[in-house]
Amino acid sequence: SRLDLRANVVCKNCNETWMSGLEGNAKTLLADVIIKGTPTTFSREDQQFLAAYAFQKSVIANYQTLSILPEPISTFAQRERFRTSLAVPPDIRIWLSSFRGHARYSGRSNPRYAKSTTDPAPLDDLNIYTHTYVVGHLVFQVLAYRFNNLFNRGIKVALPKQTEYWKEACQQIWPIETDTITWPLKYLGPQTIEMFADRWFGQLHVTLESGM
């Protein structure tokens, strides 16, 4: 009946001001989607908000796992822009899907990391991060990257698009591709949600953007 997942990785002021406002707007927009799985249509403005909500969750999950990587995937500049304007970094990808499990309500927060060891430089310096977030019937997935070496961090990477297999259940909301999307498509289940969380690893092929 309520969303009650907390992480002690944000300051009191942020938690009680702009982050509280983001959570309040999310509950207004998503309550019936999360709890009942009510079909709906999301506008371009809705997708912008959903991307911001998903990015916030991915940053928090990333900070909870900094024992794996010494630095967060997002940069300080990205997080500061997000704090002041809810601007989602343009070079990440975010998808929206739906979930139906055995329990009436479900919740998952699954961060994943991968590092290339075979690609030629500078891609051999690249860390890949995904965060799959399930709350009730709603699923978000964020795909982001970061170079370890500071001298490489100005390089832009072209992340892959999802395969046709996942398009039956999953829609990209960032960068925005269409003015409206209809939710849900096909539901992910208890087995396919694990495949979905791991779908980028072992087959992820990234390239440098043109001109780099």
Side-chain angles (χ1 to χ4, degrees):
S1 60
R2 63 193 180 100
L3 182 62
D4 192 21
L5 180 65
R6 294 185 176 89
N8 295 320
V9 295
V10 297
C11 72
K12 185 174 185 294
N13 181 61
C14 285
N15 187 54
E16 294 180 353
T17 55
W18 66 271
M19 291 181 71
S20 177
L22 191 64
E23 290 290 341
N25 290 336
K27 289 177 181 178
T28 299
L29 178 64
L30 300 174
D32 286 344
V33 167
I34 290 170
I35 297 170
K36 302 176 184 177
T38 303
T40 189
T41 298
F42 292 117
S43 67
R44 176 173 286 268
E45 291 75 18
D46 293 335
Q47 293 177 71
Q48 177 89 31
F49 173 79
L50 292 169
Y53 185 70
F55 179 67
Q56 178 206 33
K57 296 299 182 185
S58 75
V59 170
I60 292 173
N62 186 200
Y63 261 87
Q64 290 178 285
T65 57
L66 287 188
S67 60
I68 300 174
L69 292 178
E71 297 180 67
I73 291 290
S74 58
T75 66
F76 175 79
Q78 288 174 334
R79 297 192 301 275
E80 185 64 11
R81 282 195 296 272
F82 184 73
R83 181 185 70 82
T84 57
S85 64
L86 297 184
V88 179
D91 54 351
I92 68 173
R93 292 190 187 275
I94 304 175
W95 293 269
L96 186 69
S97 190
S98 51
F99 177 74
R100 182 176 290 156
H102 300 305
R104 185 176 181 186
Y105 303 114
S106 301
R108 298 165 186 246
S109 179
N110 294 335
R112 298 282 193 272
Y113 297 91
K115 188 179 188 307
S116 173
T117 57
T118 59
D119 288 328
L123 292 177
D124 59 347
D125 183 51
L126 192 68
N127 285 320
I128 299 294
Y129 169 71
T130 73
H131 178 233
T132 304
Y133 182 72
V134 182
V135 54
H137 293 290
L138 192 65
V139 181
F140 294 108
Q141 188 174 78
V142 176
L143 175 64
Y145 68 89
R146 191 206 68 197
F147 286 99
N148 285 309
N149 192 317
L150 289 173
F151 292 103
N152 290 333
R153 292 189 183 176
I155 298 173
K156 298 298 182 183
V157 170
L159 293 171
K161 294 187 176 182
Q162 67 178 357
T163 63
E164 291 297 322
Y165 176 83
W166 292 108
K167 285 184 178 180
E168 295 184 5
C170 183
Q171 303 173 82
Q172 182 173 311
I173 60 170
W174 189 262
I176 296 173
E177 293 187 316
T178 182
D179 286 339
T180 60
I181 61 171
T182 299
W183 184 97
L185 298 177
K186 289 186 177 180
Y187 278 91
L188 301 175
Q191 286 75 42
T192 50
I193 193 65
E194 295 300 325
M195 294 171 55
F196 184 68
D198 290 331
R199 66 178 175 150
W200 296 109
F201 298 141
Q203 59 179 3
L204 183 64
H205 301 287
V206 299
T207 58
L208 301 182
E209 287 190 352
S210 300
M212 299 304 297

